[in-house]
Amino acid sequence: MTITEKTIKDHGLSLAEYDEIKKVMAREPNLLELGIFSAMWSEHCSYKSSRRHLKNFPTKGKAVLQGPGENAGIVDIGGGLACAFKMESHNHPSFIEPYQGAATGVGGILRDIFTMGARPIAVLDSLRFGAPDNPRTKYLVSGVVAGIAGYGNCIGVPTVGGEVSFNSSYDGNCLVNVMTAGLVRKDRIFKGIAAGVGNPVIYVGSRTGRDGIHGAVMASDVFGDGGEERRPTVQVGDPFAEKLLLEACLELYTTDYVIGIQDMGAAGLTSSSVEMASRGNVGIEIDADKVPRREDGMTAYELMLSESQERMLMVVAKGKEAAVNEIFAKWDLECSVIGRVTGDKMVTIIEDGKVGACIPVTALTDGAPVYDRPSARPAWQDSVNTLDIDSIKLPANYNETLKQLVGSLNIASKEWVYRQYDYMVRTDTVTCPGSDAAVVRIKGTDKALAMTVDCNSRYCYLDPARGGAMAVAEAARNLVVSGAKPLALTDCLNFGNPERSEVMWQLKEAILGISEACRVLGVPVIGGNVSLYNETSGVSIYPTPTIGMVGLIDGLANHRTQWFAAEGDVIAVIGHGAPSIAGSEYLKVMHGLERGVLPEIDLAKEKRLLDACMAAIKAGIIVSAHDISDGGLAPALAESCFNPGGAIGAVIDVIGASERPDEFLFGESSGRIIVSVRPDDLEKLKTVTALFDVPCEAIGRTGGGSLVINGLIDMPVAGLKEAWAFAFGRYLGEMAAG
Amino acid sequence: MKFGIIVFPGSNCDHDCYHAVKHVFGCEAEYVWHKETALAGFDCVILPGGFSYGDYLRTGAIARSSPVMSEVVAFAKRGGLVLGICNGFQILAEAGLLPGVLMRNRALKFICAPAHLRVENNSTVFTSAYSAGQVIDVPIAHADGNYFADADTLKRLEDGGRVVFRYSTVDGKVTIDANPNGSLSNIAAIVNEAGNVMGTMPHPERACEQALGSTGGRGVFESILKGFAGT
């Protein structure tokens, strides 16, 4: 068939891009070739709008073994071990079909980790939904959480942490960002590379179906008789199949048969084969007729573009085909030789015994378009950055305000969510969900990994650069208060339509802010993804650059939680930030406003705070530590009181607190940590913090059954905890228990 | 003493059980692939938790037909110790080694949470290291842990002292609120008539080390070891 303008448009390509394709091919592409180009040149695979900006990220560091560009980044954690981790978005599918969208999001990122040779050890999720009263929100929350649970629990990887938040900017686009970390021996890392001309290309896992075929390109006129059933574009997950694939691959990695291996994620067989060939600087030939399929009559076009789940592609050493097959057969998995590595640097697809497509590999990868899309600060930015603080009325009753804040969905306990996740399987979860970071020990060592996912998208809306930097700083603080040294981060950059100049500005600014924070805090970016076009009916989501960070706890005894542990301990705030109600949760919940100028973030001071907190934990001075974030000081103190092992109250008396009590209690700022220490250790804490030039102020004592703050707040902890613990369950129409 | 840990396709607590018996209690342990047909040399066989065969069809329903299961039945008949944890309990119920069924949780959702259990019978080979009425903390993590049996079966279980753990409050009261999943009579674990096969929905292997927050499950393994040392 001939390629018409409509065909080109249906493939999401511009006419200029089509002209470029004709130029690199030196002829008209056929439909199969067009499909392959459209997948590889899509925003998702090519990063064409973001690529030039992503170059700003610092990606190198002492611990980095693998930076961006592979299926996952890897950091050295000592003792011959390494941690592979990555975060990816599954936003659009989750909005269409929340259970399967979220489930396959988990499945996809797990494959990215075990394709590197690592056994997945933990999953974290950053979830964002529309306004709580949006009619679709409850359905999406229930479905997404059930989907993550359904996949993660079955495959037996604990879901140990994450975040859930609500904002009307997500009414038309929820965000599901899933991070997975895995453990691998440093000398047994595998990569997605094709090498060795003549080596066989092997397909393993589920058969290929017609699910998830690239976008809506399957107009029936393209495929003949017009009677083709249109399959949903969301794939269906089979966690049991993936569990078998995981165990079989890990068994295979103990041999020397594998040259390179890659999962078939977005754009399926197309992207996996092209990317493997590209990394190895070789060609690859795929015989579509040999691809295992669920039904007869599938074309090469469908087979190459299907996004069926639980499939892997690998190149193995010639002659080892039977041995490889034996391992997969043990796990009842099908594997087939579907092609070979070639020396011609072309990707060649055979269909019906003839060459159906033949494209230079580099045309699909390096040759993909890179855009410098116009960007401009939005016209509305100045207006949202104004806040007349004098017009904000002080609360009539601070007790009531605190109770309302801790019971608001963004701050309330997420137990309703995480009790649906098996967060204990693998018996390594040292800190369960609910504290600042999850802590997962490494058996056979005295080490543990701490992990967190963070972003305050309201901050990013008010100031994408500062908000991006704050997300990095918050993630780092969450690790440090848990006793971990931050090693590296992965990010999911969720933004609106990049063809709008204001969205491009947000993206550029956020990347600059993140990059600056990474440089000053010494935490490189080792991977991630970009999710654009999160826009419905012209309304974009708030810019949401989610940060997933991993840190190392050397000496398991050095791990800490946010919870006060004993009566009579001294409570202190270390750090420097001056709290502000601009952009705060308080301003949103109590006054319905999301505006103002964010407080400044001084990254050099942040770095010193991290170092001081780390030093004090290592010296055994700090009993508990908690980052002050959403809601400010008072909610953070309340959270520290809610020890799951038994609540402990606190009496706080801050001298010279701000004139505006709401600013003092509920104002937010980057760079402050609540710690508790034994009374005898306060002087030592002051000595350590002074060494790093970090302010340290004792503000009260733990003990009693109430949270008492400066004569403003006096609430029984039990009552506060009740408001906090059951808000989420009540919202979803059930109590948290049962 | 040597433990065999059966690995079904989809088992995912096999490594955890292995770690507990081998590294926490210093026993010999070996994985047994579900296609094996012999259990010679083992003193205790553990059917671990997980999602054998993806829980497709019905929990435990396909795993009960795995080749190794006829040998597990024979091993139990010979008096060998069999411990089924979570999905392992579901498989033992499907295989007829234990009475009753595990239905979908009352709230129709997966629940992962700490749980208090009251030790109902400390004279079994799996519970002798506990004191009678002791309350232990052992976590649960399941979607189908809602134990059900007909009235006659329940009576036989109760009369025979075969209910070994019940969900309770922290001070040992067996109440509706303490029941996480809707189990009949708050039943969390039972033994067979001969007392050598136990099924438990809570995971004792997850509660053997203080680093993980609870040591309430140690007693199960200590009891088994104590019984073996006494033979």
Side-chain angles (χ1 to χ4, degrees):
Chain A
M1 65 165 284
T2 53
I3 306 289
T4 64
E5 266 188 40
K6 182 174 182 306
T7 320
I8 294 163
K9 224 175 127 208
D10 287 346
H11 279 77
L13 291 164
S14 69
L15 293 180
E17 284 170 341
Y18 184 70
D19 285 341
E20 190 59 32
I21 291 171
K22 282 194 296 192
K23 215 165 89 191
V24 296
M25 294 287 287
R27 63 175 165 84
E28 295 253 345
N30 60 34
L31 183 66
L32 174 57
E33 289 165 337
L34 185 72
I36 291 171
F37 268 103
S38 77
M40 293 307 298
W41 285 19
S42 69
E43 189 66 56
H44 191 95
C45 291
S46 73
Y47 297 88
K48 57 190 168 189
S49 301
S50 59
R51 199 196 277 193
R52 50 185 301 140
H53 304 293
L54 297 174
K55 285 186 184 141
N56 287 312
F57 285 144
T59 58
K60 294 195 169 61
K62 264 197 310 206
V64 178
L65 297 175
Q66 175 66 57
E70 260 292 343
N71 289 292
I74 301 185
V75 282
D76 195 337
I77 57 171
L81 292 172
C83 173
F85 67 95
K86 192 184 186 190
M87 180 161 50
E88 265 195 358
S89 58
H90 230 215
N91 304 334
H92 296 94
S94 300
F95 191 76
I96 299 167
E97 208 298 281
Y99 185 99
Q100 291 298 345
T104 53
V106 174
I109 192 66
L110 284 167
R111 284 194 303 280
D112 277 331
I113 298 306
F114 72 78
T115 196
M116 303 297 293
R119 178 180 280 283
I121 58 166
V123 170
L124 295 92
D125 311 288
S126 170
L127 311 178
R128 274 161 228 280
F129 301 101
D133 57 1
N134 181 289
R136 199 173 158 83
T137 299
K138 285 183 192 177
Y139 161 74
L140 289 173
V141 173
S142 302
V144 164
V145 170
I148 291 167
Y151 209 100
N153 296 351
C154 180
I155 199 165
V157 180
T159 301
V160 296
E163 52 171 1
V164 185
S165 65
F166 298 82
N167 183 287
S168 57
S169 86
Y170 305 105
D171 281 349
N173 299 80
C174 64
L175 300 187
V176 175
N177 293 178
V178 188
M179 168 170 155
T180 296
L183 206 55
V184 59
R185 262 176 53 188
K186 232 170 106 174
D187 59 353
R188 300 299 291 170
I189 292 169
F190 287 82
K191 295 190 178 175
I193 187 170
V197 172
N199 276 333
V201 175
I202 291 184
Y203 170 116
V204 65
S206 300
R207 291 165 169 238
T208 299
R210 284 182 167 125
D211 51 337
I213 290 181
H214 186 51
V217 298
M218 278 175 52
S220 49
D221 60 340
V222 176
F223 294 111
D225 63 10
E228 288 268 352
E229 191 184 346
R230 288 197 186 194
R231 298 293 158 92
T233 51
V234 179
Q235 315 86 16
V236 173
D238 179 356
F240 175 59
E242 181 133 316
K243 170 70 173 167
L244 302 181
L245 199 53
L246 162 67
E247 297 300 335
C249 285
L250 291 176
E251 196 169 321
L252 182 67
Y253 297 151
T254 64
T255 70
D256 57 358
Y257 308 151
V258 182
I259 308 282
I261 179 162
Q262 170 139 349
D263 86 296
M264 293 189 221
L269 194 45
T270 293
S271 68
S272 53
S273 56
V274 170
E275 285 173 12
M276 287 183 81
S278 168
R279 292 195 194 102
N281 198 23
V282 292
I284 197 162
E285 182 185 285
I286 302 288
D287 187 345
D289 303 331
K290 292 186 176 149
V291 174
R293 65 203 66 197
R294 292 189 197 145
E295 53 193 304
D296 291 338
M298 288 184 70
T299 63
Y301 182 97
E302 292 172 313
L303 292 162
M304 290 305 293
L305 294 173
S306 160
E307 292 187 3
S308 290
Q309 298 289 292
E310 291 93 24
R311 304 178 299 160
M312 305 280 268
L313 193 69
M314 62 193 134
V315 172
V316 308
K318 198 170 171 59
K320 300 296 183 190
E321 296 89 334
V324 169
N325 186 49
E326 198 177 316
I327 290 174
F328 287 113
K330 173 189 163 186
W331 292 94
D332 299 324
L333 289 167
E334 267 188 281
C335 84
S336 319
V337 175
I338 63 162
R340 62 191 177 91
V341 178
T342 60
D344 59 3
K345 301 184 186 179
M346 303 291 281
V347 53
T348 307
I349 313 298
I350 307 292
E351 183 173 23
D352 299 330
K354 296 191 290 280
V355 173
C358 191
I359 308 169
V361 172
T362 53
L364 294 166
T365 55
D366 304 338
V370 177
Y371 295 128
D372 186 10
R373 295 197 188 275
S375 74
R377 189 167 187 270
W380 46 261
Q381 195 73 43
D382 282 336
S383 121
V384 301
N385 285 144
T386 58
L387 174 67
D388 174 15
I389 188 140
D390 295 329
S391 71
I392 306 298
K393 274 175 52 184
L394 290 172
N397 180 334
Y398 291 94
N399 281 338
E400 214 32 62
T401 304
L402 175 58
K403 197 172 163 184
Q404 232 172 299
L405 267 180
V406 298
S408 68
L409 290 183
N410 286 354
I411 296 179
S413 166
K414 305 303 184 294
E415 188 184 355
W416 183 91
V417 175
Y418 64 73
R419 67 189 262 123
Q420 295 186 53
Y421 302 150
D422 189 345
Y423 52 81
M424 299 181 290
V425 64
R426 297 190 48 75
T427 57
D428 288 325
T429 312
V430 170
T431 301
C432 298
S435 195
D436 289 278
V439 176
V440 177
R441 70 173 178 181
I442 300 165
K443 287 193 186 96
T445 74
D446 190 31
K447 294 174 189 190
L449 294 170
M451 307 166 199
T452 180
V453 287
D454 295 287
C455 180
N456 184 321
S457 63
R458 188 186 307 125
Y459 290 176
C460 297
Y461 160 72
L462 295 175
D463 185 336
R466 200 170 278 182
M470 282 177 163
V472 176
E474 184 183 351
R477 284 196 307 277
N478 282 335
L479 297 185
V480 165
V481 295
S482 307
K485 178 184 160 42
L487 293 176
L489 69 81
T490 174
D491 57 6
C492 267
L493 304 177
N494 310 275
F495 288 78
N497 178 352
E499 292 161 43
R500 288 173 183 277
S501 61
E502 62 189 55
V503 170
M504 253 343 270
W505 178 80
Q506 292 173 328
L507 178 64
K508 279 169 69 173
E509 288 284 305
I511 289 173
L512 289 176
I514 290 168
S515 301
E516 179 63 12
C518 288
R519 267 188 287 274
V520 179
L521 303 183
V523 186
V525 178
I526 63 165
N529 91 328
V530 180
S531 170
L532 302 176
Y533 298 96
N534 292 288
E535 174 182 298
T536 296
S537 312
V539 180
S540 281
I541 60 163
Y542 278 3
T544 315
T546 313
I547 303 297
M549 201 181 285
V550 172
L552 179 66
I553 298 175
D554 216 344
L556 200 50
N558 287 328
H559 90 271
R560 295 291 180 278
T561 67
Q562 68 186 29
W563 300 300
F564 296 143
E567 304 242 337
D569 281 351
V570 171
I571 300 166
V573 170
I574 60 173
H576 44 75
S580 160
I581 62 172
S584 66
E585 197 66 29
Y586 159 77
L587 193 62
K588 164 76 175 159
V589 172
M590 304 305 296
H591 300 280
L593 297 173
E594 299 186 279
R595 55 193 309 127
V597 176
L598 292 184
E600 274 185 51
I601 173 167
D602 184 325
L603 289 164
K605 286 182 181 169
E606 286 277 350
K607 172 72 171 133
R608 296 206 303 272
L609 173 65
L610 298 176
D611 292 344
C613 185
M614 199 68 212
I617 287 176
K618 279 202 164 166
I621 296 167
I622 287 177
V623 174
S624 74
H626 184 26
D627 172 43
I628 302 178
S629 59
D630 302 4
L633 177 68
L637 284 165
E639 287 164 356
S640 290
C641 292
F642 302 155
N643 190 327
I648 296 176
V651 179
I652 306 296
D653 192 5
V654 177
I655 301 155
S658 154
E659 303 167 11
R660 281 196 68 113
D662 57 351
E663 198 166 66
F664 157 61
L665 293 170
F666 310 119
E668 298 173 16
S669 74
S670 199
R672 292 185 302 160
I673 293 170
I674 295 172
V675 301
S676 67
V677 298
R678 287 170 298 272
D680 292 350
D681 286 341
L682 179 60
E683 283 313 307
K684 286 187 213 160
L685 177 68
K686 286 185 168 168
T687 309
V688 171
T689 49
L691 267 178
F692 293 91
D693 196 16
V694 169
C696 170
E697 185 188 8
I699 61 165
R701 293 259 182 156
T702 63
S706 293
L707 176 60
V708 182
I709 308 177
N710 270 30
L712 295 164
I713 287 186
D714 188 344
M715 285 280 283
V717 172
L720 271 178
K721 191 172 180 184
E722 206 271 345
W724 168 82
F726 298 118
F728 215 93
R730 281 192 189 120
Y731 164 64
L732 286 152
E734 48 190 295
M735 299 295 284
Chain B
M1 155 152 214
K2 191 171 175 185
F3 287 83
I5 294 146
I6 313 274
V7 182
F8 297 97
S11 293
N12 65 30
C13 302
D14 44 346
H15 292 212
D16 303 355
C17 290
Y18 183 90
H19 170 73
V21 296
K22 175 110 173 177
H23 300 123
V24 179
F25 294 99
C27 298
E28 271 189 84
E30 241 174 60
Y31 294 113
V32 180
W33 184 235
H34 74 116
K35 288 176 184 166
E36 298 286 329
T37 51
L39 288 170
F42 294 110
D43 304 299
C44 177
V45 165
I46 299 178
L47 279 66
F51 288 69
S52 57
Y53 292 96
D55 273 359
Y56 297 149
L57 186 58
R58 192 171 67 241
T59 58
I62 305 178
R64 66 157 291 196
S65 304
S66 267
V68 77
M69 280 310 292
S70 43
E71 183 53 23
V72 170
V73 171
F75 180 80
K77 293 254 156 72
R78 294 197 297 270
L81 298 185
V82 178
L83 172 61
I85 303 169
C86 199
N87 190 228
F89 185 4
Q90 294 159 344
I91 297 167
L92 292 176
E94 285 288 335
L97 283 173
L98 289 171
V101 293
L102 282 313
M103 305 190 303
R104 185 53 47 118
N105 293 343
R106 180 177 51 195
L108 305 180
K109 286 189 171 68
F110 191 96
I111 305 169
C112 178
H116 305 300
L117 309 177
R118 190 174 77 188
V119 178
E120 299 292 286
N121 180 350
N122 71 334
S123 63
T124 78
V125 67
F126 299 101
T127 55
S128 63
Y130 295 114
S131 49
Q134 185 181 346
V135 177
I136 56 175
D137 285 356
V138 182
I140 56 166
H142 57 246
D144 302 83
N146 182 353
Y147 184 80
F148 181 79
D150 61 47
D152 290 347
T153 306
L154 179 65
K155 187 168 185 317
R156 276 201 303 279
L157 286 173
E158 297 284 9
D159 292 351
R162 289 164 55 191
V163 175
V164 293
F165 296 145
R166 252 188 257 273
Y167 300 109
S168 76
T169 60
V170 68
D171 50 359
K173 293 194 182 65
V174 174
T175 65
I176 290 177
D177 285 348
N179 184 340
N181 54 25
S183 278
L184 192 65
S185 305
N186 285 37
I187 288 172
I190 58 171
V191 290
N192 66 344
E193 202 169 353
N196 65 324
V197 177
M198 174 162 109
T200 170
M201 286 313 296
H203 285 266
E205 84 282 10
R206 297 185 181 188
C208 290
E209 296 169 88
Q210 198 52 55
L212 303 179
S214 162
T215 54
R218 292 182 64 97
V220 169
F221 300 98
E222 285 165 356
S223 301
I224 294 169
L225 293 175
K226 201 171 99 180
F228 185 73
T231 55

